[in-house]
Every structure is written in structure tokens, then in C-alpha cells.
Amino acid sequence: MTVLLLISAGVLAGATGALLGVGGGVILVPTLVLGFHVPLEEAVPASLMCVVASSCGAAASYVERRLSDIRLGLTLELATVMGAIAGGLVAGLLAPAWVALVFGLFTLYVSAQMLLSRPPREQCVENYVPHNYPLGISGSFVAGSLSALLGVGGGPLKVPLMSQGMGVPFKVASATSNLMIGVTGAASVAAYAWRGHVKLALVAPLVVGVLAGASVGSQLMPRVPTAVLRRLFALVLLLVAAQMLWKGGEGLWPSLLR
């Protein structure tokens, strides 16, 4: 029974990750910790493994459909990796609770903006030219740093960065983000695997579900209207904001009450 529930959770996370380019971590981590009572140090690497699986399951379809902008993805991923290295170096100097609080407030603002603003007209996924590369590169650097500091994927930041800051169609931004998060997730999970925190009995059923869900999500994404994807993405951002605000508040309350 537990195996079937894990597979079901993986299907939901894989489909959501493939549709929106955020990976399934925002769904899997709270599901594993609260629903299955998995320790956080085991839930996070299991989620990262599923992010890699989701990316692998959907990336081939998006590249074949020419939805992923490979050149843009490689450029931004280089900045993301550099940011992750920098975040790992300064992790001991910054209070993670304050970083989580600031990131949660920023994510809440982006989510509210996407929910309240009028959706743009359907954009052509072929005739576009990305612009404002300095913003994209610096934003990807920040996304990589936050990934290292907080253990979150860069998708919730990269997708609005590309779609709203660089003029990339939303579906292309989601597909390109999906391509990038697999690389970031693979690099991040290596440290957990080295410390023995990757439990294959937990990861195996999740990956089976994630691969199935990612396959379904990658087939659905080109057919779903952009306005619907934006609204769904904004709701996922609300979940991310709630997690980060809770994490930040949990770390700050004891020090503030002293």
C-alpha cells in the first residue's frame, strides 16, 4: 500500500514538474515529511533524485518539439552552477532563516503579480529573441545560490525570470527550466549520496511514478493554454512561499522570543 502511495505521489510531482519546469520538490518534500513521516535529510535527496528523473523524462520530448531553448539554457545554467558554488561557500556566514524569509516574501510577490495581472496573449514559441541577458545571468546566479543555501530548486525563480524578464514565451521558459534543473539536481544530490542519505527503497517507487508523470506532463504541456499554466504556476509559487516563510519563521521565532 505504501509503495502505491509513493508511486502516486511521484506521478503528481512528475506531471507538475514537467508542466511548469519547477521539479517536483515543492510537492514531494512536504508530502514525504508530513504524509509519510520521512526524515528531512532523507526526503530532500529523494526529492532531488526525482527532479533529475522528471527532467530526464520530459527533456527529450521538449527538445524534440523544439520547446527547449538549449543555447539559453546552457548560458543560464553556467551562472546557476557558479551561484551554487558561491552559495555553498557562504552558507556558514548567512542565517538560513533570514534568507528563507526574504525568498518567501519575494516568491509571494511574484505569485500575487501573476495571479492578479492580466494574462498575456498566447506567444509564438518560435519567433522570439531573448533579451536582457545581464538580468537573466545575475538572476540565475541568485537562483543557484538559493538552491545551495535552502535546498530548493531554481525553477520557481528561473521560469518568471525568463518569461517576464527576458521576453521568453512561458512554455519555452518552462521547458528550458526543466532541462536545467536536471543538471542542478544531479550536482546537488551527489553530496547527499556521499553521506549515505539516499535510500533506494524510498527513491525507487518515487522515480517510477515521477517518470510516468513527467511523460504525461510533457505531452500535455504544449496543449494547455498559457494562461492556465501561468495560474497553475502561481499557485505552486504560493506553496513555495508558504514553505519558505514557515522555514524562516521557524528559525527566527526562538531568537526573537529570547
Side-chain angles (χ1 to χ4, degrees), residues 35 45 56 58 62 93 97 157 163 193 202 204 230 232 243 255:
C56 293
Y62 290 149
L93 305 177
L157 185 58
S163 63
L202 173 64
R230 283 173 58 89
L232 182 58
Q243 290 182 16
S255 61

Side-chain angles (χ1 to χ4, degrees), residues 6 57 65 82 103 107 126 163 177 187 218 252 255:
L6 287 172
R65 293 170 182 264
M82 293 175 63
F103 181 64
T107 309
E126 295 180 357
S163 63
S177 173
S218 63
L252 290 176
S255 61

Side-chain angles (χ1 to χ4, degrees), residues 58-210:
S61 175
Y62 290 149
V63 171
E64 182 181 359
R65 293 170 182 264
R66 297 184 178 180
L67 279 174
S68 296
D69 192 326
I70 298 178
R71 179 179 297 178
L72 175 63
L74 290 175
T75 302
L76 298 185
E77 184 59 22
L78 178 61
T80 304
V81 171
M82 293 175 63
I85 295 173
L89 293 175
V90 302
L93 305 177
L94 299 176
W98 282 109
V99 179
L101 192 64
V102 172
F103 181 64
L105 292 173
F106 172 77
T107 309
L108 185 64
Y109 166 76
V110 174
S111 174
Q113 186 181 49
M114 296 184 75
L115 283 172
L116 299 176
S117 64
R118 179 178 299 177
R121 292 180 298 177
E122 195 80 20
Q123 293 176 279
C124 177
V125 298
E126 295 180 357
N127 299 324
Y128 71 95
V129 178
H131 58 270
N132 208 352
Y133 270 91
L135 175 64
I137 292 173
S138 58
S140 296
F141 183 90
V142 172
S145 301
L146 290 174
S147 178
L149 287 170
L150 302 175
V152 299
L157 185 58
K158 286 181 181 177
V159 173
L161 178 69
M162 287 185 281
S163 63
Q164 296 181 295
M166 301 184 70
V168 177
F170 187 85
K171 290 184 178 181
V172 175
S174 297
T176 305
S177 173
N178 188 86
L179 185 67
M180 289 190 285
I181 60 177
V183 179
T184 307
S188 301
V189 79
Y192 289 96
W194 180 263
R195 294 195 297 267
H197 288 161
V198 178
K199 305 300 182 183
L200 294 181
L202 173 64
V203 171
L206 287 173
V207 168
V208 170
V210 163

